[in-house]
Amino acid sequence: MLPYVFLSAGLLAIGLAVWWPGFRLRRAMAQQFPPEWERILIANLPPYRRMPVKWRQRLQQLIQRFVHEKQFVGNGGLVINDEMRITIAGAACLLVLNRPSTVYQALRFIYVYPDSFHAPVKHHDESGVVSSGYASRSGESWSNGKVILSWNDILIGTRNFTDGNNVALHEFAHQLDQESGSTNGAPLLDRNSAYTRWAEVFTQEYRDLVNDARFGRQSLMDHYGATNPAEFFAVATETFFEQPQTMADKHPELFQQLSNYYKIDPRTWHD
Ligand SMILES: [Zn+2]
């Protein structure tokens, strides 16, 4: 009898462990989106103001899920508040507004500094000598479930949604890229057959930007995108969401590929 009691207790514990997180998530999602959270979106995320109601509601649901699942941690003396959580979650969820995937399943922690922060870097010079030092950063995306952000840069990037610079979109694009198993500029696409065209378009566009950067020519996308294909995807994502009409005019094939991937046309939110 005794082993049976232990077995039942064990099964009950396992059942609760499985059921409890799902229950807590459903309860969080069922709650009304707080009016003060919506005021934060209206103040800090301009696309929200121009979206159709059904997409606002979808974004609200995604944000509720995001803030329920992810842990925000203040660094450098920063105390996390709702404005930080909702602004960061809003920008992150904008990228997955119409995608069928879950809300950044692998992401667990978001570390936020008050301003740009120093991170260790290694530099390889042309003769192969490696030196290490520190570089100023406004954001970093890691493959082990964490994103690091500067709150000051987040706020500047999200409030100005027309200049093509948005560190939140940039770092969360890296997280999406990582879903394929490596951060290499080729995220998970719907069909295997889609990779051929994706690779053709992205390779050509990346080479063009590398040449623009090398010869100091002006370009729509930031020259930082010429660093490597992963940075190109993140920078192209910033431009796609913030300057969609110009990208559609100047880089129609790239716009089409990103529109297929994000399943959205951000021109509908811009004037
Ligand atoms: Zn990057």
Side-chain angles (χ1 to χ4, degrees):
M1 187 65 187
L2 205 55
Y4 173 75
V5 172
F6 280 135
L7 185 65
S8 299
L11 284 174
L12 183 64
I14 292 167
L16 273 174
V18 172
W19 171 79
W20 181 244
F23 169 74
R24 288 186 61 231
L25 174 62
R26 283 194 297 278
R27 194 177 60 179
M29 300 275 295
Q31 284 176 3
Q32 200 203 350
F33 197 76
E36 59 271 27
W37 288 12
E38 183 159 34
R39 278 195 288 275
I40 292 165
L41 292 176
I42 290 168
N44 290 352
L45 199 68
Y48 184 83
R49 300 197 283 264
R50 305 189 192 107
M51 264 177 205
V53 171
K54 68 164 189 167
W55 279 0
R56 285 190 190 191
Q57 289 169 344
R58 170 85 179 135
L59 191 64
Q60 289 177 3
Q61 287 176 342
L62 293 170
I63 290 169
Q64 280 175 306
R65 182 169 194 144
F66 190 96
V67 297
H68 176 78
E69 290 181 350
K70 319 301 177 198
Q71 193 173 341
F72 287 76
V73 181
N75 274 15
L78 188 75
V79 177
I80 299 288
N81 61 27
D82 276 353
E83 184 182 16
M84 295 165 192
R85 291 160 74 230
I86 301 307
T87 304
I88 292 167
C93 293
L94 202 57
L95 297 186
V96 293
L97 187 58
N98 204 31
R99 285 185 55 73
S101 59
T102 54
V103 183
Y104 302 93
Q105 198 164 18
L107 179 64
R108 302 288 304 128
F109 295 99
I110 295 148
Y111 296 91
V112 190
Y113 283 90
D115 211 328
S116 54
F117 51 94
H118 286 86
V121 288
K122 279 195 171 136
H123 176 69
H124 301 251
D125 75 7
E126 287 171 359
S127 59
V129 174
V130 180
S131 55
S132 49
Y134 283 84
S136 180
R137 292 264 197 271
S138 54
E140 282 187 346
S141 169
W142 290 70
S143 56
N144 59 355
K146 64 180 185 181
V147 163
I148 309 170
L149 298 165
S150 146
W151 170 239
N152 190 36
D153 289 284
I154 290 289
L155 207 50
I156 292 168
T158 52
R159 282 186 174 169
N160 180 344
F161 219 87
T162 57
D163 66 355
N165 293 314
N166 191 311
V167 65
L169 298 184
H170 183 105
E171 302 307 337
F172 287 107
H174 281 318
Q175 286 289 309
L176 291 177
D177 192 359
Q178 177 64 33
E179 286 179 349
S180 63
S182 61
T183 312
N184 58 4
L188 277 179
L189 303 181
D190 291 340
R191 291 167 286 111
N192 279 344
S193 59
Y195 284 100
T196 307
R197 190 69 191 129
W198 177 280
E200 285 169 0
V201 171
F202 271 75
T203 301
Q204 185 58 52
E205 293 278 356
Y206 172 63
R207 283 185 185 149
D208 289 348
L209 189 63
V210 168
N211 282 327
D212 287 342
R214 183 176 296 155
F215 297 111
R217 291 194 293 256
Q218 273 206 328
S219 57
L220 173 63
M221 284 170 280
D222 194 292
H223 285 173
Y224 185 67
T227 308
N228 57 45
E231 294 306 337
F232 182 78
F233 172 66
V235 167
T237 293
E238 293 177 74
T239 311
F240 174 72
F241 278 92
E242 292 215 344
Q243 299 175 316
Q245 187 58 56
T246 317
M247 180 183 258
D249 293 341
K250 293 190 172 179
H251 304 269
E253 301 267 18
L254 184 60
F255 180 87
Q256 188 60 51
Q257 289 299 313
L258 287 166
S259 189
N260 292 347
Y261 175 70
Y262 286 111
K263 303 187 188 305
I264 227 156
D265 183 345
R267 288 176 293 187
T268 53
W269 317 322
H270 286 264
D271 295 328

